[in-house]
Amino acid sequence: MVENYQTTVTGTRTASYDEGLRAYFRRVYNVMTIGLIVTGLVATITHMMLPTLIVSFGAGPVMLLSFVPLIITMFMFRGSVVMTKSAAQLNTRFYVFSALFGMGLAPITLVYTGGDIARAFFITAATFAATSAWSYATKADLSRFGSFLFMGVIGLLIAMVVNIFLGSARMDFIISCAGVLIYTGLVAYDTQQLKETYAVSNGTEANNKMAVMGAVSLYVNFINLFLFILRLLGNNRN
């Protein structure tokens, strides 16, 4: 009798956890998807305004738009903000951030064709979906790869700065391949970390805040993966 009761309670808790985890990930992916839609819409609108902006301000200042989101991120999602803001406020900040990122991405339409951008997006979406689904289901521990992936991102940044001066097409190809591998790895790593940090005992508000921050992480991984795949497609076309 006692064993049956314990089995029932354990089964109920497991079912509650599983349902809560699924709802948690639905929220993560929904917030991220809306962010991507906002980015795409703002990028399209900014693209239509680029000729006027370039004539008015010059190509150099307009290209600096690409760096605005990176600077804004440091202030919008710093640790103290995450601790003091509600999930709804973080959600709003993320959509503002997504809009700014759309402005930053608009200048790539001056470099790549619409066909390249569309192909890169669909390849990125398929890669992201497959990687995130695998990471969610796998029993393998990916946490040991976190430091290597972080060092890989630092290495990518250094290599990209160096290649600005070298202008090597071969090095650009290697950087793009490495970027695809590293950000695919980060999608898997961050997905598993989101799964590990979820707990019913955290409470609804805390889990909602973690869902928004998880959406931010996966969104940034998606965008960077897209950009590196786009670079590869552009290089192959050239």
Side-chain angles (χ1 to χ4, degrees):
M1 192 74 172
V2 173
E3 289 181 358
N4 290 340
Y5 173 76
Q6 290 176 335
T7 301
T8 301
V9 171
T10 301
T12 300
R13 287 176 177 173
T14 301
S16 176
Y17 173 84
D18 289 342
E19 179 56 35
L21 183 62
R22 285 192 291 269
Y24 174 70
F25 267 91
R26 281 196 298 270
R27 179 172 175 80
V28 171
Y29 293 133
N30 286 341
V31 172
M32 175 192 158
T33 300
I34 293 173
L36 289 173
I37 292 172
V38 171
T39 297
L41 290 174
V42 174
T44 301
I45 294 170
T46 307
H47 164 71
M48 293 187 291
M49 298 170 58
L50 281 178
T52 302
L53 292 172
I54 291 173
V55 170
S56 302
F57 302 103
V62 171
M63 294 302 288
L64 287 175
L65 281 173
S66 302
F67 297 96
V68 170
L70 299 177
I71 298 171
I72 296 297
T73 305
M74 293 187 293
F75 297 96
M76 293 184 73
F77 296 107
R78 64 186 187 275
S80 59
V81 169
V82 176
M83 294 297 294
T84 58
K85 300 299 181 182
S86 68
Q89 289 172 321
L90 290 176
N91 210 51
T92 301
R93 281 174 176 255
F94 173 58
Y95 294 144
V96 172
F97 166 69
S98 301
L100 292 172
F101 226 118
M103 293 173 57
L105 288 177
I108 68 173
T109 58
L110 301 175
V111 181
Y112 300 99
T113 66
D116 284 339
I117 293 172
R119 281 191 293 273
F121 178 83
F122 286 114
I123 292 172
T124 302
T127 302
F128 178 93
T131 303
S132 193
W134 172 82
S135 177
Y136 182 92
T138 187
K139 301 298 182 182
D141 181 12
L142 304 180
S143 61
R144 63 183 182 276
F145 297 109
S147 58
F148 293 104
L149 292 168
F150 176 75
M151 288 188 292
V153 171
I154 299 300
L156 274 178
L157 292 174
I158 294 173
M160 291 172 71
V161 171
V162 169
N163 203 40
I164 290 175
F165 301 99
L166 296 179
S168 170
R170 178 175 296 181
M171 187 171 180
D172 186 68
F173 177 77
I174 294 172
I175 289 171
S176 298
C177 290
V180 170
L181 292 174
I182 289 170
Y183 279 100
T184 299
L186 281 169
V187 170
Y189 173 81
D190 285 341
T191 298
Q192 190 173 85
Q193 289 301 298
L194 282 170
K195 185 178 179 181
E196 294 297 325
T197 54
Y198 170 81
V200 176
S201 59
N202 290 335
T204 302
E205 178 65 13
N207 281 324
N208 284 343
K209 289 173 69 171
M210 287 194 299
V212 175
M213 295 311 299
V216 173
S217 297
L218 291 179
Y219 168 93
V220 171
N221 291 338
F222 185 101
I223 293 293
N224 281 294
L225 180 59
F226 164 75
L227 291 174
F228 281 113
I229 289 175
L230 183 59
R231 284 162 65 107
L232 283 175
L233 292 178
N235 288 338
N236 290 336
R237 179 170 53 80
N238 295 332

